[in-house]
Amino acid sequence: MAEARRLDGAAIAAAIKEDVAGEVKALAAQGIRPGLAAVLVGHVPASEIYVRSKVRTCEELGLGSDLLTPPATVTTEEMLALVAELNGRDDVDGILIQLPLPPQVNAKRLLEAVAPEKDVDGFHPVNVGRLQTGQPALAPCTPAGLIEILKRNAIPIAGQNAVVVGRSDIVGKPAAILLLAENATVTICHSKTRDLPAVCRGADILVAAIGRPGYVTADMVKPGATVLDVGINRLTTLEEFDRFFHGNTRREELFRAKGSTLIGDVHPAAYAVSGAYTPVPGGVGPLTIAMLMANTVRAAKLRRGLL
Ligand code: GUN
C-alpha cells in the first residue's frame, strides 16, 4: 500500500485566495469593491480569533471589511435592527454573524433576517433550499471547502461512495448535498446509525464532522480511501494526549510547551490506512476563510447581475 497522501489545506487556501485577489482586481477596474460586514457579539475568545482572521484576510485580498462588535447584553431586537441596516448598505455584499450568539439572542430569527443575497455563510433557509434544488446559491464555507480540496487534488467524486459522519446544518447536511450535486453516492451517518464502522468502511470519500476527538478509528477506513477531517478538538490533559499520540515525541514536545494540542474527529492511526487525508490543523480549517472570501466576491457579482 502506498503511503497516505497529506492534503495540504493551507496551500489550497492560498491558491483560492490568489484567485479571489485576481477577481477583486478585475472588479476594481469596474469601480466595484466587494465588502464583508462581520458581526462579533461579546467576548468569546475563539470567535474573536476567527473573526479577526476573517477581517485581516479581507484586507490582504483587497476586499472592504467592517467589524461590528455589539456587547454580550445585546437584544434580539437590537441585532435585527443592525442586520436591517447592513442589508440596506450598498458597500456591504456579505454579512457574517459569528456563532455562537448569547442565549438571549434568537439566532434563528436573526439568520433568517439576513438578506439571502448577502448570506455568505449560506445559513439562510433560502440558500439551503436553492442549494438543495440545484439553483445558484451561496453554499456554506466549510462544505464548499471540502469540494475544493477534492477537485484541486484531482480526486474523483462522481460515482464514488461518499459517507458523511455528522448531520449538522453547518457541515454534515450541506456537505452531503454538495457531494450529491457532484454525483457521488452519498450516505449520511449519525449517532443512531447501525454498525457505523461497516458503513464507513464502504466509503471512498469519508467526511468526519462529528465533533468528537479521534472518533473515526483505523478499522472504519477502507484502505486507500480519502478521509476529510472537519473536526477541531483541543486536548489538554496528558492522559488524553497519550490516548491518541502515545510515542509521537515531536507532538509531545509541542504539547508540553503549549499545554494543549489539536486533534480532528479522525484518530491519527486511521490516517495511515487512507490513501489521502486532511491533517488537523492545516487541512480543512484554512479553507473556511478562503471560501468566505470567495463567497463574498460571488455575492457581489450575483447582486449586480455579473454572474
Ligand atoms: N462559528 C463557527 N464556525 C462558524 C462559521 O462558519 N460561520 C459563522 N458565522 N460562525 C461560526
Side-chain angles (χ1 to χ4, degrees):
M1 198 79 206
E3 197 180 330
R5 182 153 60 113
R6 184 180 181 279
L7 303 172
D8 184 350
I12 300 163
I16 292 168
K17 287 193 270 188
E18 214 176 296
D19 293 350
V20 170
E23 288 184 70
V24 170
K25 235 183 206 157
L27 285 170
Q30 301 175 59
I32 299 165
R33 188 181 194 219
L36 176 73
V39 183
L40 171 65
V41 179
H43 296 283
V44 181
S47 292
E48 286 178 340
I49 292 168
Y50 287 141
V51 172
R52 285 187 205 296
S53 179
K54 290 169 182 177
V55 169
R56 196 175 343 109
T57 309
C58 282
E59 287 161 6
E60 279 167 23
L61 304 187
L63 284 88
S65 63
D66 195 358
L67 174 61
L68 301 112
T69 56
T73 53
V74 73
T75 65
T76 300
E77 297 307 321
E78 287 165 338
M79 286 293 285
L80 286 170
L82 175 60
V83 167
E85 184 205 322
L86 297 173
N87 282 343
R89 266 176 58 181
D90 198 46
D91 64 325
V92 171
D93 293 292
I95 300 171
L96 175 122
I97 301 167
Q98 187 69 22
L99 304 176
L101 291 165
Q104 80 278 7
V105 175
N106 186 331
K108 206 167 160 197
R109 264 185 83 194
L110 205 60
L111 296 181
E112 289 195 19
V114 173
E117 63 271 23
K118 295 192 178 188
D119 169 38
V120 283
D121 259 328
F123 293 167
H124 193 289
V126 164
N127 278 315
V128 176
R130 283 182 184 154
L131 198 67
Q132 173 110 355
T133 52
Q135 299 172 62
L138 292 165
C141 300
T142 301
L146 298 178
I147 302 295
E148 288 294 322
I149 290 174
L150 294 170
K151 287 191 172 172
R152 290 181 187 244
N153 284 289
I155 294 168
I157 308 174
Q160 302 293 296
N161 288 336
V163 173
V164 180
V165 190
R167 55 173 155 180
S168 72
D169 291 335
I170 295 182
V171 180
K173 284 188 213 164
I177 294 297
L178 289 174
L179 287 161
L180 182 63
E182 297 291 338
N183 298 310
T185 302
V186 181
T187 306
I188 306 178
C189 300
H190 46 78
S191 56
K192 302 271 193 299
T193 297
R194 218 185 306 144
D195 202 353
L196 180 69
V199 179
C200 289
R201 271 195 303 274
D204 303 304
I205 298 167
L206 182 60
V207 178
I210 320 113
R212 288 171 65 173
Y215 185 78
V216 172
T217 44
D219 61 305
M220 294 162 77
V221 177
K222 175 162 79 175
T226 299
V227 176
L228 304 176
D229 190 353
V230 183
I232 301 178
N233 310 287
R234 191 173 289 279
L235 303 179
T236 53
T237 69
L238 193 56
E239 192 189 342
E240 282 179 317
F241 179 90
D242 273 338
R243 221 176 102 211
F244 296 108
F245 296 111
H246 185 74
N248 184 335
T249 48
R250 206 175 87 85
R251 208 181 263 243
E252 186 168 340
E253 264 173 43
L254 293 169
F255 173 79
R256 287 188 186 277
K258 266 195 84 180
S260 70
T261 194
L262 293 180
I263 182 170
D265 289 350
V266 177
H267 195 290
Y271 293 151
V273 181
S274 75
Y277 69 95
T278 58
V280 176
V284 175
L287 266 299
T288 300
I289 292 182
M291 295 313 291
L292 176 68
M293 301 297 120
N295 264 356
T296 304
V297 171
R298 191 170 142 75
K301 288 183 176 176
L302 281 172
R303 196 158 65 88
R304 291 170 178 81
L306 298 174
L307 273 182

